[in-house]
Amino acid sequence: MLHTVNKSPFDKNSLENCLRFARKGHSILLFEDGIYGALKGTRFETLIAEGLKSSTIYVLVPDLEARGMRMDNVIDGVKATDYAGFVDLSAENKTVQAWL
Amino acid sequence: MKFGILVNEGPYQHQASDSAYQFTKAALEKGHEIYRVFFYHDGVYNASRLTVPPQDDRNIVNRWSDLGKEHNLDMVVCIAAAQRRGLLDENEAKRQGKDANNIAEGFRISGLGQLIEAGIQSERMMVFGD
Amino acid sequence: MEDEVIKKFLYVNRKAPYGTIYALESLEVVLIGAAFDQDVSLAFIDDGVYQLKKNQQTSVSSGIGVKDFSKTYRALEGYDVEKLYVDKKSMEERGLSEDDFLVDVQVFDEAQMAELMEQQDVVLSF
C-alpha cells in the first residue's frame, strides 16, 4: 500500500496519522508541503526514524528543491523520487491513500 | 496501467492541481492510460476559461486543455460542485437562464457518477487535494 | 459486463463539518456512489469524527444559516451503506464516545482500521 502525505507536520497531523496506520512493508511518499516531514533536525525526526523501521519513505525531490532543500537535508534512509517515480510507486501498490 | 485522477482544489490557491498535472503527464510519458481526470470541490475552477494568470506564470487551465487535447483525455467537471461555484457550460447556462458560460476547451460537465465510474474502471485512483 | 465489477470503495473523512465543504460534498459522492452497488465503507478519522456528532443545529433564523446535512448520515442505511467505522483514538482524544454519534458505527482500533484500508481498491479522501 502507498500512502501519500502532502501536509507539513507542523501544520496538520497527516504524517503522524499516516504513520499510525501504515503497516510493515508499506510505502509513504512525502510531497508538496509534506516534504518538511522528511528533514533532519526537526521535532519529527524521531517519528520518521521510527517509521523507517517498517515502511519505505520517499520524498519528492522537485518539491524538496522548490522549497530550498536538497537531499543533504533529508533524514538518512528516506529515498529520493520524482514524478516518474511517484507514478511507479502508484502502479506497484494496489491501494493508494492520500492523507490530505 | 489505467489511472483515474481526482483533483479536489482550485488552481493557484493550492499545489494540488499542479501535482495532479505533473503526475498525469509523467504517467502518460511512461505509457500509462489516464481513464479520466475528475475535478471536484474547488477543483472545478481548473476548468474556467476566464482565468487570466500573469504572463510569466503557468496557465494552469490552458495546460490541462493542451494535455487533454494531446492525449485525448476525458476531463470531467462535477456538475453539482460547478454550479455552486458559478461554472457553467453552454447548455447549463441556457437551462439556468444565465447570460454567460465559462468552461474551457477539453473539459466537460457531468455528474458525480463519473467519479465512481472512474474508480471502478481505473486500476488506480489518485487523489490530489488539501 | 465490465460494469458488474464490484470494487471496495473507502471514503476517508478527516475533516469537520461546516468549517469547510468537504464533509458535505464527500457525502454527496457517497450517495451517488451507492447507486453503483459497490462494496462501500466510510472511515471517520481525526476531525472527521465530528461529522457524526448528534444534535447539529444550523437553523437559518438563529444559527449559521447553512443546511444541516447530518441527517443524511442516518439515511445511508437506506442506500445499503452500512459500514461506518470510527477511529478509536480520534474519538477518544476528542472526548467523544459512541453515544455522541447520530448513527450506529463500529469503533476500530489502529490494527483494524489499517487492515480495512489495506483491503481497498479505491480510497477517496476528503
mmCIF file of all heavy atoms in Angstrom, chain A residues 3-36:
data_model
loop_
_atom_site.group_PDB
_atom_site.id
_atom_site.type_symbol
_atom_site.label_atom_id
_atom_site.label_comp_id
_atom_site.label_asym_id
_atom_site.label_seq_id
_atom_site.Cartn_x
_atom_site.Cartn_y
_atom_site.Cartn_z
ATOM 1 N N HIS A 3 0.970 5.303 0.810
ATOM 2 C CA HIS A 3 0.339 6.454 1.462
ATOM 3 C C HIS A 3 1.014 7.704 0.922
ATOM 4 O O HIS A 3 2.233 7.745 0.795
ATOM 5 C CB HIS A 3 0.576 6.414 2.980
ATOM 6 C CG HIS A 3 0.089 5.161 3.647
ATOM 7 N ND1 HIS A 3 -1.110 5.085 4.300
ATOM 8 C CD2 HIS A 3 0.644 3.928 3.757
ATOM 9 C CE1 HIS A 3 -1.279 3.864 4.789
ATOM 10 N NE2 HIS A 3 -0.229 3.144 4.478
ATOM 11 N N THR A 4 0.233 8.729 0.623
ATOM 12 C CA THR A 4 0.852 9.996 0.232
ATOM 13 C C THR A 4 0.505 11.060 1.274
ATOM 14 O O THR A 4 -0.629 11.110 1.771
ATOM 15 C CB THR A 4 0.383 10.470 -1.158
ATOM 16 O OG1 THR A 4 -1.018 10.755 -1.126
ATOM 17 C CG2 THR A 4 0.641 9.419 -2.224
ATOM 18 N N VAL A 5 1.500 11.863 1.611
ATOM 19 C CA VAL A 5 1.301 12.928 2.599
ATOM 20 C C VAL A 5 1.750 14.246 1.975
ATOM 21 O O VAL A 5 2.901 14.370 1.535
ATOM 22 C CB VAL A 5 2.116 12.660 3.880
ATOM 23 C CG1 VAL A 5 1.968 13.812 4.864
ATOM 24 C CG2 VAL A 5 1.679 11.348 4.534
ATOM 25 N N ASN A 6 0.845 15.213 1.912
ATOM 26 C CA ASN A 6 1.191 16.490 1.277
ATOM 27 C C ASN A 6 1.102 17.671 2.245
ATOM 28 O O ASN A 6 1.027 18.818 1.815
ATOM 29 C CB ASN A 6 0.309 16.731 0.039
ATOM 30 C CG ASN A 6 -1.145 17.010 0.389
ATOM 31 O OD1 ASN A 6 -1.630 16.598 1.436
ATOM 32 N ND2 ASN A 6 -1.845 17.716 -0.476
ATOM 33 N N LYS A 7 1.106 17.366 3.532
ATOM 34 C CA LYS A 7 0.992 18.434 4.531
ATOM 35 C C LYS A 7 2.242 18.531 5.384
ATOM 36 O O LYS A 7 2.821 17.510 5.758
ATOM 37 C CB LYS A 7 -0.184 18.144 5.457
ATOM 38 C CG LYS A 7 -1.525 18.299 4.810
ATOM 39 C CD LYS A 7 -1.767 19.735 4.448
ATOM 40 C CE LYS A 7 -3.005 19.894 3.609
ATOM 41 N NZ LYS A 7 -2.979 19.109 2.364
ATOM 42 N N SER A 8 2.614 19.741 5.756
ATOM 43 C CA SER A 8 3.687 19.912 6.732
ATOM 44 C C SER A 8 3.221 19.329 8.060
ATOM 45 O O SER A 8 2.093 19.583 8.486
ATOM 46 C CB SER A 8 3.990 21.397 6.907
ATOM 47 O OG SER A 8 4.729 21.591 8.098
ATOM 48 N N PRO A 9 4.094 18.571 8.727
ATOM 49 C CA PRO A 9 3.687 18.004 10.024
ATOM 50 C C PRO A 9 3.494 19.085 11.081
ATOM 51 O O PRO A 9 2.866 18.848 12.104
ATOM 52 C CB PRO A 9 4.853 17.070 10.384
ATOM 53 C CG PRO A 9 6.012 17.591 9.625
ATOM 54 C CD PRO A 9 5.457 18.184 8.362
ATOM 55 N N PHE A 10 4.026 20.282 10.812
ATOM 56 C CA PHE A 10 3.857 21.397 11.759
ATOM 57 C C PHE A 10 2.467 22.015 11.638
ATOM 58 O O PHE A 10 2.009 22.730 12.515
ATOM 59 C CB PHE A 10 4.920 22.476 11.507
ATOM 60 C CG PHE A 10 6.315 21.981 11.767
ATOM 61 C CD1 PHE A 10 7.110 21.539 10.726
ATOM 62 C CD2 PHE A 10 6.826 21.929 13.057
ATOM 63 C CE1 PHE A 10 8.393 21.057 10.960
ATOM 64 C CE2 PHE A 10 8.114 21.451 13.307
ATOM 65 C CZ PHE A 10 8.891 21.017 12.254
ATOM 66 N N ASP A 11 1.812 21.729 10.506
ATOM 67 C CA ASP A 11 0.506 22.314 10.228
ATOM 68 C C ASP A 11 -0.633 21.348 10.540
ATOM 69 O O ASP A 11 -1.619 21.712 11.149
ATOM 70 C CB ASP A 11 0.456 22.722 8.745
ATOM 71 C CG ASP A 11 -0.843 23.412 8.370
ATOM 72 O OD1 ASP A 11 -1.410 24.102 9.235
ATOM 73 O OD2 ASP A 11 -1.278 23.268 7.212
ATOM 74 N N LYS A 12 -0.472 20.112 10.101
ATOM 75 C CA LYS A 12 -1.541 19.123 10.270
ATOM 76 C C LYS A 12 -0.969 17.792 10.742
ATOM 77 O O LYS A 12 0.224 17.538 10.605
ATOM 78 C CB LYS A 12 -2.274 18.911 8.936
ATOM 79 C CG LYS A 12 -3.154 20.082 8.565
ATOM 80 C CD LYS A 12 -4.183 19.696 7.522
ATOM 81 C CE LYS A 12 -5.060 20.890 7.153
ATOM 82 N NZ LYS A 12 -5.838 20.668 5.940
ATOM 83 N N ASN A 13 -1.822 16.941 11.260
ATOM 84 C CA ASN A 13 -1.342 15.665 11.792
ATOM 85 C C ASN A 13 -1.359 14.537 10.756
ATOM 86 O O ASN A 13 -1.323 13.374 11.109
ATOM 87 C CB ASN A 13 -2.159 15.276 13.022
ATOM 88 C CG ASN A 13 -3.629 15.041 12.672
ATOM 89 O OD1 ASN A 13 -4.016 15.105 11.509
ATOM 90 N ND2 ASN A 13 -4.438 14.752 13.674
ATOM 91 N N SER A 14 -1.418 14.895 9.475
ATOM 92 C CA SER A 14 -1.497 13.874 8.419
ATOM 93 C C SER A 14 -0.340 12.874 8.484
ATOM 94 O O SER A 14 -0.551 11.665 8.365
ATOM 95 C CB SER A 14 -1.503 14.543 7.046
ATOM 96 O OG SER A 14 -2.541 15.489 6.962
ATOM 97 N N LEU A 15 0.867 13.380 8.682
ATOM 98 C CA LEU A 15 2.032 12.491 8.728
ATOM 99 C C LEU A 15 1.946 11.559 9.934
ATOM 100 O O LEU A 15 2.149 10.350 9.809
ATOM 101 C CB LEU A 15 3.333 13.314 8.779
ATOM 102 C CG LEU A 15 4.616 12.492 8.919
ATOM 103 C CD1 LEU A 15 4.829 11.571 7.726
ATOM 104 C CD2 LEU A 15 5.831 13.404 9.094
ATOM 105 N N GLU A 16 1.638 12.140 11.096
ATOM 106 C CA GLU A 16 1.534 11.315 12.304
ATOM 107 C C GLU A 16 0.494 10.221 12.144
ATOM 108 O O GLU A 16 0.710 9.075 12.523
ATOM 109 C CB GLU A 16 1.160 12.194 13.509
ATOM 110 C CG GLU A 16 2.316 13.016 14.029
ATOM 111 C CD GLU A 16 1.854 14.060 15.031
ATOM 112 O OE1 GLU A 16 1.474 15.166 14.595
ATOM 113 O OE2 GLU A 16 1.847 13.742 16.228
ATOM 114 N N ASN A 17 -0.663 10.594 11.589
ATOM 115 C CA ASN A 17 -1.719 9.597 11.434
ATOM 116 C C ASN A 17 -1.404 8.593 10.349
ATOM 117 O O ASN A 17 -1.725 7.417 10.474
ATOM 118 C CB ASN A 17 -3.060 10.272 11.169
ATOM 119 C CG ASN A 17 -3.805 10.514 12.467
ATOM 120 O OD1 ASN A 17 -3.653 9.754 13.414
ATOM 121 N ND2 ASN A 17 -4.585 11.560 12.517
ATOM 122 N N CYS A 18 -0.777 9.048 9.299
ATOM 123 C CA CYS A 18 -0.362 8.120 8.258
ATOM 124 C C CYS A 18 0.560 7.060 8.859
ATOM 125 O O CYS A 18 0.376 5.862 8.639
ATOM 126 C CB CYS A 18 0.349 8.896 7.150
ATOM 127 S SG CYS A 18 1.303 7.879 6.049
ATOM 128 N N LEU A 19 1.510 7.502 9.673
ATOM 129 C CA LEU A 19 2.454 6.552 10.282
ATOM 130 C C LEU A 19 1.744 5.636 11.288
ATOM 131 O O LEU A 19 2.139 4.489 11.476
ATOM 132 C CB LEU A 19 3.596 7.304 10.962
ATOM 133 C CG LEU A 19 4.575 7.961 9.981
ATOM 134 C CD1 LEU A 19 5.498 8.938 10.696
ATOM 135 C CD2 LEU A 19 5.409 6.888 9.260
ATOM 136 N N ARG A 20 0.696 6.153 11.886
ATOM 137 C CA ARG A 20 -0.070 5.351 12.842
ATOM 138 C C ARG A 20 -0.748 4.169 12.138
ATOM 139 O O ARG A 20 -0.873 3.089 12.694
ATOM 140 C CB ARG A 20 -1.109 6.262 13.502
ATOM 141 C CG ARG A 20 -1.782 5.725 14.728
ATOM 142 C CD ARG A 20 -2.244 6.850 15.633
ATOM 143 N NE ARG A 20 -3.368 7.628 15.148
ATOM 144 C CZ ARG A 20 -4.642 7.238 15.231
ATOM 145 N NH1 ARG A 20 -4.947 6.069 15.751
ATOM 146 N NH2 ARG A 20 -5.599 8.028 14.800
ATOM 147 N N PHE A 21 -1.199 4.378 10.901
ATOM 148 C CA PHE A 21 -1.931 3.327 10.189
ATOM 149 C C PHE A 21 -1.083 2.566 9.165
ATOM 150 O O PHE A 21 -1.532 1.560 8.633
ATOM 151 C CB PHE A 21 -3.163 3.920 9.497
ATOM 152 C CG PHE A 21 -4.198 4.431 10.457
ATOM 153 C CD1 PHE A 21 -4.380 5.787 10.658
ATOM 154 C CD2 PHE A 21 -4.965 3.541 11.185
ATOM 155 C CE1 PHE A 21 -5.333 6.255 11.553
ATOM 156 C CE2 PHE A 21 -5.911 3.988 12.096
ATOM 157 C CZ PHE A 21 -6.096 5.353 12.279
ATOM 158 N N ALA A 22 0.098 3.069 8.884
ATOM 159 C CA ALA A 22 0.956 2.361 7.921
ATOM 160 C C ALA A 22 1.445 1.065 8.550
ATOM 161 O O ALA A 22 1.788 1.027 9.721
ATOM 162 C CB ALA A 22 2.130 3.241 7.526
ATOM 163 N N ARG A 23 1.439 0.022 7.763
ATOM 164 C CA ARG A 23 1.881 -1.270 8.281
ATOM 165 C C ARG A 23 3.187 -1.687 7.609
ATOM 166 O O ARG A 23 3.605 -1.110 6.629
ATOM 167 C CB ARG A 23 0.812 -2.335 8.030
ATOM 168 C CG ARG A 23 -0.525 -1.941 8.587
ATOM 169 C CD ARG A 23 -1.560 -2.985 8.243
ATOM 170 N NE ARG A 23 -1.827 -3.850 9.388
ATOM 171 C CZ ARG A 23 -2.606 -4.933 9.319
ATOM 172 N NH1 ARG A 23 -3.118 -5.318 8.183
ATOM 173 N NH2 ARG A 23 -2.838 -5.653 10.397
ATOM 174 N N LYS A 24 3.752 -2.721 8.155
ATOM 175 C CA LYS A 24 5.032 -3.220 7.668
ATOM 176 C C LYS A 24 4.989 -3.422 6.152
ATOM 177 O O LYS A 24 4.043 -3.979 5.620
ATOM 178 C CB LYS A 24 5.342 -4.552 8.353
ATOM 179 C CG LYS A 24 6.812 -4.831 8.456
ATOM 180 C CD LYS A 24 7.090 -6.034 9.333
ATOM 181 C CE LYS A 24 8.534 -6.478 9.203
ATOM 182 N NZ LYS A 24 9.507 -5.410 9.472
ATOM 183 N N GLY A 25 6.001 -2.905 5.485
ATOM 184 C CA GLY A 25 6.091 -3.093 4.040
ATOM 185 C C GLY A 25 5.383 -2.021 3.218
ATOM 186 O O GLY A 25 5.486 -2.014 1.992
ATOM 187 N N HIS A 26 4.674 -1.123 3.858
ATOM 188 C CA HIS A 26 4.017 -0.049 3.118
ATOM 189 C C HIS A 26 5.025 0.999 2.665
ATOM 190 O O HIS A 26 6.110 1.111 3.237
ATOM 191 C CB HIS A 26 2.965 0.647 4.000
ATOM 192 C CG HIS A 26 1.716 -0.161 4.193
ATOM 193 N ND1 HIS A 26 0.593 0.321 4.812
ATOM 194 C CD2 HIS A 26 1.413 -1.443 3.828
ATOM 195 C CE1 HIS A 26 -0.349 -0.614 4.832
ATOM 196 N NE2 HIS A 26 0.128 -1.694 4.249
ATOM 197 N N SER A 27 4.621 1.761 1.649
ATOM 198 C CA SER A 27 5.447 2.881 1.193
ATOM 199 C C SER A 27 4.738 4.190 1.513
ATOM 200 O O SER A 27 3.508 4.259 1.470
ATOM 201 C CB SER A 27 5.666 2.792 -0.322
ATOM 202 O OG SER A 27 6.443 1.649 -0.623
ATOM 203 N N ILE A 28 5.533 5.189 1.840
ATOM 204 C CA ILE A 28 4.978 6.513 2.153
ATOM 205 C C ILE A 28 5.707 7.538 1.296
ATOM 206 O O ILE A 28 6.941 7.567 1.272
ATOM 207 C CB ILE A 28 5.177 6.841 3.650
ATOM 208 C CG1 ILE A 28 4.449 5.802 4.520
ATOM 209 C CG2 ILE A 28 4.690 8.263 3.959
ATOM 210 C CD1 ILE A 28 4.807 5.865 5.994
ATOM 211 N N LEU A 29 4.945 8.346 0.580
ATOM 212 C CA LEU A 29 5.554 9.402 -0.228
ATOM 213 C C LEU A 29 5.235 10.764 0.380
ATOM 214 O O LEU A 29 4.060 11.105 0.586
ATOM 215 C CB LEU A 29 5.021 9.349 -1.671
ATOM 216 C CG LEU A 29 5.441 10.546 -2.531
ATOM 217 C CD1 LEU A 29 6.932 10.475 -2.872
ATOM 218 C CD2 LEU A 29 4.613 10.634 -3.808
ATOM 219 N N LEU A 30 6.281 11.528 0.658
ATOM 220 C CA LEU A 30 6.107 12.888 1.161
ATOM 221 C C LEU A 30 6.282 13.846 -0.011
ATOM 222 O O LEU A 30 7.325 13.850 -0.666
ATOM 223 C CB LEU A 30 7.144 13.182 2.253
ATOM 224 C CG LEU A 30 7.176 12.168 3.411
ATOM 225 C CD1 LEU A 30 8.303 12.492 4.384
ATOM 226 C CD2 LEU A 30 5.850 12.127 4.149
ATOM 227 N N PHE A 31 5.242 14.637 -0.297
ATOM 228 C CA PHE A 31 5.346 15.597 -1.393
ATOM 229 C C PHE A 31 4.629 16.890 -1.027
ATOM 230 O O PHE A 31 4.043 17.003 0.046
ATOM 231 C CB PHE A 31 4.852 14.985 -2.720
ATOM 232 C CG PHE A 31 3.356 14.874 -2.876
ATOM 233 C CD1 PHE A 31 2.703 15.524 -3.910
ATOM 234 C CD2 PHE A 31 2.609 14.108 -2.007
ATOM 235 C CE1 PHE A 31 1.317 15.416 -4.070
ATOM 236 C CE2 PHE A 31 1.231 13.993 -2.158
ATOM 237 C CZ PHE A 31 0.585 14.649 -3.186
ATOM 238 N N GLU A 32 4.689 17.880 -1.914
ATOM 239 C CA GLU A 32 4.204 19.241 -1.593
ATOM 240 C C GLU A 32 4.766 19.633 -0.214
ATOM 241 O O GLU A 32 5.940 19.382 0.061
ATOM 242 C CB GLU A 32 2.664 19.284 -1.656
ATOM 243 C CG GLU A 32 2.134 19.021 -3.071
ATOM 244 C CD GLU A 32 0.605 19.034 -3.166
ATOM 245 O OE1 GLU A 32 -0.061 19.299 -2.162
ATOM 246 O OE2 GLU A 32 0.077 18.768 -4.262
ATOM 247 N N ASP A 33 3.938 20.236 0.662
ATOM 248 C CA ASP A 33 4.459 20.632 1.976
ATOM 249 C C ASP A 33 4.796 19.428 2.863
ATOM 250 O O ASP A 33 5.374 19.587 3.941
ATOM 251 C CB ASP A 33 3.436 21.525 2.702
ATOM 252 C CG ASP A 33 3.325 22.906 2.069
ATOM 253 O OD1 ASP A 33 4.172 23.240 1.211
ATOM 254 O OD2 ASP A 33 2.400 23.657 2.445
ATOM 255 N N GLY A 34 4.434 18.253 2.405
ATOM 256 C CA GLY A 34 4.764 17.038 3.149
ATOM 257 C C GLY A 34 6.255 16.816 3.279
ATOM 258 O O GLY A 34 6.716 16.130 4.196
ATOM 259 N N ILE A 35 7.038 17.423 2.370
ATOM 260 C CA ILE A 35 8.499 17.206 2.382
ATOM 261 C C ILE A 35 9.143 17.739 3.673
ATOM 262 O O ILE A 35 10.207 17.280 4.065
ATOM 263 C CB ILE A 35 9.200 17.831 1.148
ATOM 264 C CG1 ILE A 35 9.104 19.368 1.137
ATOM 265 C CG2 ILE A 35 8.649 17.256 -0.152
ATOM 266 C CD1 ILE A 35 10.327 20.065 1.650
ATOM 267 N N TYR A 36 8.474 18.689 4.332
ATOM 268 C CA TYR A 36 9.052 19.222 5.574
ATOM 269 C C TYR A 36 9.164 18.136 6.644
ATOM 270 O O TYR A 36 9.965 18.250 7.571
ATOM 271 C CB TYR A 36 8.220 20.411 6.084
ATOM 272 C CG TYR A 36 8.312 21.622 5.181
ATOM 273 C CD1 TYR A 36 7.184 22.129 4.544
ATOM 274 C CD2 TYR A 36 9.544 22.244 4.962
ATOM 275 C CE1 TYR A 36 7.266 23.237 3.703
ATOM 276 C CE2 TYR A 36 9.637 23.348 4.120
ATOM 277 C CZ TYR A 36 8.495 23.840 3.495
ATOM 278 O OH TYR A 36 8.586 24.928 2.667
#
